[in-house]
Amino acid sequence: MIPLYQPFLPRKSIIYANEAIRSNWISSLGKYSSLAAEKLAEIHGVKFCILTNNGTAATHLVAKSLKKKYPTIKKIYVPSACYVAAYNSLLYDKIGWEVEAVDLSEETWNSDFSCIKPEKNSALMVVHNLGNIVDVLKLKEKFNIPIIEDNCEGFFGEYGGYPSGSKSLASSLSFFGNKNITTGEGGAFLTNDESIYNYSNKIKGQGQTSTRYIHDELGYNYRMTNVQAAILLGQLEEIDTIKEKKKKVFNYFRERLSQIEGVTNQAIEANTSHSMWMIGARFNPERFNVSKLEQELGANGIETRKMFYPYTAHKHLKFKGATDISSLINSQVLMLPSYPELKKLEIDKISSTIEKHSKTKNTN
């Protein structure tokens, strides 16, 4: 079986995790929590980092930070399709924001925010679908409104030479088991704004004041454990190795797919670098039956996933906005295996299976 993803855990992660367990600091306190947070902030070039128990919690802190910093915000523009956690994070507190979806680009599979004319007291939530980076710097030049980032799929990506997630008001990371860097679960909140860092750091830990067990604000238990932070630090210290492995897989896979008629790679926006998180391929329906291809890949021991559904597929989301392109992309795109230690022979097998399906369909 060729899985969609499997984590790469360097020896350091195992050593540090064992040290954390032996120290008995296995909950949120311990040296690895501060060391990993400092390392993440350094890598992203930001002043402040908060480790969280998962990426959704981090994205919720991002959403709450936007409301705290800009209480007059009434409307948020979001992608018409992305992982549902981004949407949910805006709704947990029933703030009453109007949420409007912006349809995807057929080329990048990200929202084409450049086509909108934002209303007064509005903001953008940028999501980097499959790790394909949106140029946040360009959006900041075009629009004079706050921008937040769900960067959960974007770690390793860049815009304008800066790490994705580093130039917006605040951003989130995910360290779920299928991410470039993983702690099984886990996430992080990043910002350069000290006021929202202090606010988010407080509510992350139940809203506690400087006096222990005295709480003056509704908070959450969003803390990462020291053991998870130890696993995280070991990977961050080997980040160049992981990046190089991902780069080889990403580039070779896109090269092989580009050789197959009827298959299109995700287009990468100018002045950005893809995070290389997930390989996606778009299949021309004139040459491919995507449902049958998905079945055939599975029968050959190759795991895949469909592209994210448009927001209209989720019954609890009552947004407005077009979904024509996101529906089209959902019907034509599959996510393919892309983990760091995926071998060339395995990429060749996946590509050959796709090519064979194309030829079979063409002769029917």
Side-chain angles (χ1 to χ4, degrees), residues 77-207:
Y77 296 93
V78 300
S80 62
C82 63
Y83 185 57
V84 72
Y87 302 136
N88 289 344
S89 69
L90 300 173
L91 305 177
Y92 288 145
D93 299 307
K94 299 182 179 179
I95 292 172
W97 284 321
E98 179 186 353
V99 182
E100 181 172 331
V102 179
D103 212 357
L104 305 187
S105 155
E106 276 203 62
E107 287 72 39
T108 66
W109 315 343
N110 286 322
S111 279
D112 187 3
F113 288 118
S114 65
C115 295
I116 66 172
K117 294 181 179 179
E119 297 177 12
K120 185 180 179 181
N121 294 326
S122 64
L124 296 185
M125 173 179 256
V126 170
V127 183
H128 308 289
N129 274 337
L130 306 192
N132 197 24
I133 303 303
V134 177
D135 190 345
V136 168
L137 294 177
K138 186 169 70 174
L139 293 178
K140 288 178 73 174
E141 287 181 8
K142 184 177 180 64
F143 305 127
N144 186 29
I145 61 173
I147 298 175
I148 55 175
E149 286 178 76
D150 177 329
N151 193 38
C152 290
E153 298 164 19
F155 196 177
F156 294 179
E158 294 184 352
Y159 42 61
Y162 297 98
S164 58
S166 65
K167 295 299 178 181
S168 53
L169 175 67
S171 66
S172 58
L173 292 171
S174 170
F175 305 126
F176 186 63
N178 65 4
K179 297 299 189 291
N180 287 342
I181 300 291
T182 179
T183 58
E185 282 283 2
F189 169 94
L190 303 174
T191 188
N192 283 305
D193 188 304
E194 186 172 7
S195 65
I196 63 173
Y197 163 74
N198 290 333
Y199 168 70
S200 297
N201 201 38
K202 181 179 182 180
I203 63 172
K204 172 207 72 173
Q206 302 287 16

Side-chain angles (χ1 to χ4, degrees), residues 111-346:
S111 279
D112 187 3
F113 288 118
S114 65
C115 295
I116 66 172
K117 294 181 179 179
E119 297 177 12
K120 185 180 179 181
N121 294 326
S122 64
L124 296 185
M125 173 179 256
V126 170
V127 183
H128 308 289
N129 274 337
L130 306 192
N132 197 24
I133 303 303
V134 177
D135 190 345
V136 168
L137 294 177
K138 186 169 70 174
L139 293 178
K140 288 178 73 174
E141 287 181 8
K142 184 177 180 64
F143 305 127
N144 186 29
I145 61 173
I147 298 175
I148 55 175
E149 286 178 76
D150 177 329
N151 193 38
C152 290
E153 298 164 19
F155 196 177
F156 294 179
E158 294 184 352
Y159 42 61
Y162 297 98
S164 58
S166 65
K167 295 299 178 181
S168 53
L169 175 67
S171 66
S172 58
L173 292 171
S174 170
F175 305 126
F176 186 63
N178 65 4
K179 297 299 189 291
N180 287 342
I181 300 291
T182 179
T183 58
E185 282 283 2
F189 169 94
L190 303 174
T191 188
N192 283 305
D193 188 304
E194 186 172 7
S195 65
I196 63 173
Y197 163 74
N198 290 333
Y199 168 70
S200 297
N201 201 38
K202 181 179 182 180
I203 63 172
K204 172 207 72 173
Q206 302 287 16
Q208 183 170 266
T209 66
S210 57
T211 303
R212 193 171 182 83
Y213 302 135
I214 297 295
H215 306 254
D216 64 357
E217 194 157 7
L218 177 64
Y220 311 87
N221 183 3
Y222 282 173
R223 296 167 293 200
M224 177 185 282
T225 69
N226 193 44
V227 176
Q228 287 176 298
I231 296 170
L232 174 60
L233 181 64
Q235 290 171 84
L236 296 178
E237 290 182 351
E238 297 293 338
I239 194 169
D240 290 340
T241 299
I242 299 172
K243 274 186 177 180
E244 187 58 31
K245 287 178 177 291
K246 289 288 295 187
K247 184 178 180 180
K248 287 179 179 178
V249 169
F250 187 77
N251 289 343
Y252 184 64
F253 215 150
R254 282 172 65 92
E255 179 186 342
R256 287 289 282 112
L257 291 172
S258 69
Q259 296 167 359
I260 305 173
E261 188 174 350
V263 179
T264 306
N265 285 311
Q266 190 177 22
I268 299 171
E269 191 175 350
N271 299 315
T272 70
S273 298
H274 203 290
S275 78
M276 307 174 291
W277 171 56
M278 189 66 67
I279 290 287
R282 184 177 179 187
F283 299 96
N284 187 325
E286 293 184 2
R287 294 190 64 86
F288 292 91
N289 181 314
V290 175
S291 295
K292 289 184 178 179
L293 173 60
E294 193 175 10
Q295 293 172 9
E296 189 170 334
L297 288 165
N300 280 273
I302 301 162
E303 186 179 14
T304 62
R305 292 281 190 281
K306 290 182 68 66
M307 180 59 178
F308 302 124
Y309 288 86
Y311 74 89
T312 49
H314 312 297
K315 292 183 179 180
H316 69 293
L317 299 179
K318 308 300 182 184
F319 304 161
K320 67 177 183 179
T323 60
D324 294 344
I325 304 303
S326 58
S327 297
L328 186 68
I329 296 298
N330 169 257
S331 70
Q332 296 180 2
V333 170
L334 291 178
M335 303 182 206
L336 303 171
S338 57
Y339 51 92
E341 294 188 291
L342 187 66
K343 298 178 177 61
K344 277 191 172 184
L345 284 175
E346 292 171 320

Side-chain angles (χ1 to χ4, degrees), residues 36-79:
E38 290 167 7
K39 188 68 173 177
L40 266 176
E42 175 191 332
I43 288 169
H44 285 85
V46 298
K47 294 179 181 177
F48 306 108
C49 172
I50 300 170
L51 300 182
T52 62
N53 56 339
N54 56 58
T56 304
T59 310
H60 185 211
L61 292 179
V62 169
K64 288 186 72 68
S65 294
L66 175 66
K67 183 63 177 178
K68 184 72 172 179
K69 187 74 174 181
Y70 299 98
T72 60
I73 292 292
K74 292 182 172 60
K75 185 172 188 175
I76 300 182
Y77 296 93
V78 300

